């Protein structure tokens, strides 16, 4: 999906210089941090060796081990690498929370970058094709949706916003047995009735307001409305990312360059989450999410440069 949001590459010095020239046009417009990794986001990624992708690119298209379709690098329908790209040579990224990607049925599989997330973080990413999607009703105090809107909040405000959301419900005792409605709705707090709740229960609710899953929508902006208005997504906390320029080569006609591809949105969210909420120094922990994206960008960039010289 495109969102209005908001290494050091391994190799010899000559290769690094070539990549630097290819990425020199990429700038982060709104960041006040003038460090190199902010100014040229794809240049200074800490990536695993992309030698396997270089070899596969030279060999051309290969078969998907599951459906036998001819693909380059990976199969975008089976979410597996092709035969010329051994799985053991693809980096695996461990994410701090789970990610659901809701893909519009008209979104072209071969053009979507959502599959990158599934390939590189298979244990933490799930992709659903709308209208098939999970029911988040009983987890609304633990889930957030990446989507800009009038009520969206920044990443740093997630804990406070989730805590306020969780205070609308009382966590029901599991030992009470089946309930006629979802547990999170079984006893809504009402004004003047707070005496029935002790400080311990309030504290428990506050501690339970922990973000466990993020939902992304994979579609063009023109397709988004059908999914975002689905009743199953209503009531989820909405998060808006900082504005950044996209490096995606399939730019949406008539849309600003701050509309990110799905994998870019996932990556930038996780980096922001790591810094703002985990309060840890970011040292490239999620950079390999751009393993395929950065390589494909480089190929296309080089091809355009070559075409321009002819």
């Amino acid at each position: 999906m495109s969102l209005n949001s908001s290494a050091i590459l391994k190799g010899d010095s000559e290769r690094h210089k070539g990549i630097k020239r290819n990425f020199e046009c990429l700038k982060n417009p709104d960041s006040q941090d003038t460090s190199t990794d902010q100014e040229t986001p794809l240049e200074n990624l800490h990536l695993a060796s992309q030698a396997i992708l270089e070899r596969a690119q030279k060999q051309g298209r290969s078969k998907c081990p599951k459906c036998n379709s001819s693909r380059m690098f990976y199969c975008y329908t089976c979410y597996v690498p092709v035969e010329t790209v051994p799985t053991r040579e693809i980096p695996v990224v461990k994410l701090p929370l789970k990610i659901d990607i809701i893909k519009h049925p008209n979104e072209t599989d071969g053009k979507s970058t959502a599959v990158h997330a599934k390939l590189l973080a298979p244990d933490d990413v799930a992709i659903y094709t709308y209208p098939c999607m999970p029911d988040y009703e009983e987890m609304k105090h633990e889930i957030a949706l990446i989507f800009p809107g009038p009520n969206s909040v920044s990443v740093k405000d997630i804990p406070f916003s989730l805590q306020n959301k969780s205070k609308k419900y009382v966590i029901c005792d599991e030992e009470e047995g089946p309930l006629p409605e979802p547990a999170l709705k079984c006893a809504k707090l009402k004004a003047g009735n707070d005496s029935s709740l002790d400080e311990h229960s309030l504290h428990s609710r506050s501690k339970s307001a922990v973000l466990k899953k993020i939902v992304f929508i994979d579609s063009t902006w023109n397709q988004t409305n059908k999914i975002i208005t689905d009743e199953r997504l209503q009531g989820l906390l909405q998060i808006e990312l900082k504005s950044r320029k996209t490096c995606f080569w399939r730019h949406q006609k008539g849309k600003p360059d701050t509309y990110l591809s799905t994998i870019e949105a996932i990556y930038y969210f996780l980096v922001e989450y790591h810094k703002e909420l985990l309060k840890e120094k970011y040292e490239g922990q999620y950079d390999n999410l751009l393993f395929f994206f950065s390589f494909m960008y480089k190929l296309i960039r080089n091809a355009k440069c070559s075409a321009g010289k002819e």
Side-chain angles (χ1 to χ4, degrees):
M1 167 190 176
S2 296
L3 287 174
N4 182 10
S5 59
S6 185
I8 297 176
L9 292 172
K10 297 182 179 180
D12 57 46
S13 59
E14 288 302 314
R15 179 186 174 196
H16 177 74
K17 291 177 182 178
I19 294 173
K20 184 174 182 178
R21 286 193 296 271
N22 290 333
F23 294 139
E24 62 184 358
C25 67
L26 303 175
K27 302 293 181 182
N28 185 349
D30 81 325
S31 176
Q32 296 179 355
D33 182 353
T34 57
S35 62
T36 305
D37 64 331
Q38 289 296 316
E39 293 181 352
T40 52
L42 292 185
E43 179 189 342
N44 295 295
L45 297 173
H46 291 75
L47 295 176
S49 172
Q50 294 175 317
I52 183 60
L53 299 182
E54 294 171 355
R55 292 195 297 269
Q57 191 269 332
K58 292 178 181 178
Q59 295 177 44
R61 298 168 72 88
S62 181
K63 286 185 178 181
C64 167
K66 288 189 175 182
C67 68
N68 291 321
S69 297
S70 178
R71 306 282 193 240
M72 178 66 77
F73 303 130
Y74 55 82
C75 179
Y76 44 76
T77 53
C78 299
Y79 308 143
V80 295
V82 295
E83 293 176 346
T84 54
V85 183
T87 302
R88 65 180 180 277
E89 295 191 46
I90 295 178
V92 176
V93 183
K94 182 60 180 175
L95 306 185
L97 36 69
K98 301 297 182 181
I99 288 178
D100 281 357
I101 301 174
I102 313 300
K103 188 172 72 70
H104 193 282
N106 293 336
E107 181 73 0
T108 304
D109 291 338
K111 295 182 178 181
S112 172
T113 62
V115 64
H116 296 184
K118 181 62 178 176
L119 285 164
L120 297 164
D123 295 335
D124 297 316
V125 175
I127 299 178
Y128 303 91
T129 300
Y130 188 82
C132 295
M133 59 185 288
D135 185 351
Y136 300 116
E137 179 63 31
E138 297 188 18
M139 299 175 61
K140 286 184 177 180
H141 63 303
E142 301 174 341
I143 300 177
L145 171 67
I146 302 298
F147 196 83
N151 298 317
S152 60
V153 302
S154 65
V155 171
K156 66 179 180 181
D157 291 329
I158 289 177
F160 177 77
S161 299
L162 285 181
Q163 182 174 330
N164 283 343
K165 184 176 289 291
S166 70
K167 284 180 179 179
K168 296 178 181 179
Y169 306 99
V170 173
I171 303 301
C172 297
D173 191 337
E174 295 180 354
E175 297 180 355
E176 291 180 358
L179 298 170
E181 52 182 331
L184 296 178
K185 282 189 173 182
C186 64
K188 293 185 179 180
L189 293 179
K190 296 182 180 179
N193 194 37
D194 291 345
S195 59
S196 62
L197 300 173
D198 57 23
E199 292 183 0
H200 176 73
S201 64
L202 288 173
H203 180 64
S204 297
R205 284 205 310 280
S206 297
K207 291 183 65 177
S208 71
V210 177
L211 184 65
K212 295 183 179 179
K213 180 176 289 188
I214 286 290
V215 179
F216 290 82
I217 297 176
D218 184 44
S219 73
T220 64
W221 273 100
N222 293 334
Q223 299 169 338
T224 301
N225 188 62
K226 184 176 181 179
I227 298 179
I228 196 62
T229 56
D230 189 288
E231 62 179 5
R232 289 168 290 182
L233 296 181
Q234 303 311 301
L236 292 184
L237 178 66
Q238 291 188 9
I239 308 300
E240 185 167 3
L241 302 181
K242 293 179 181 179
S243 180
R244 292 182 172 90
K245 284 188 178 181
T246 182
C247 298
F248 196 32
W249 47 94
R250 292 191 177 97
H251 183 69
Q252 292 189 50
K253 187 176 180 180
K255 302 300 182 182
D257 57 7
T258 51
Y259 281 23
L260 303 176
S261 65
T262 300
I263 194 63
E264 288 177 299
I266 292 173
Y267 170 73
Y268 283 126
F269 166 78
L270 289 171
V271 172
E272 204 170 332
Y273 175 86
H274 191 88
K275 295 176 180 178
E276 297 285 355
L277 298 190
L278 298 185
K279 300 296 183 182
E280 296 178 11
K281 182 179 179 181
Y282 184 71
E283 298 179 327
Q285 289 89 333
Y286 316 119
D287 284 7
N288 272 321
L289 286 174
L290 299 178
F291 180 74
F292 291 105
F293 184 88
S294 63
F295 184 80
M296 295 167 74
Y297 177 87
K298 181 179 65 175
L299 285 181
I300 294 170
R301 186 75 174 163
N302 286 343
K304 288 183 177 179
C305 290
S306 297
K309 293 177 181 180
E310 295 178 356

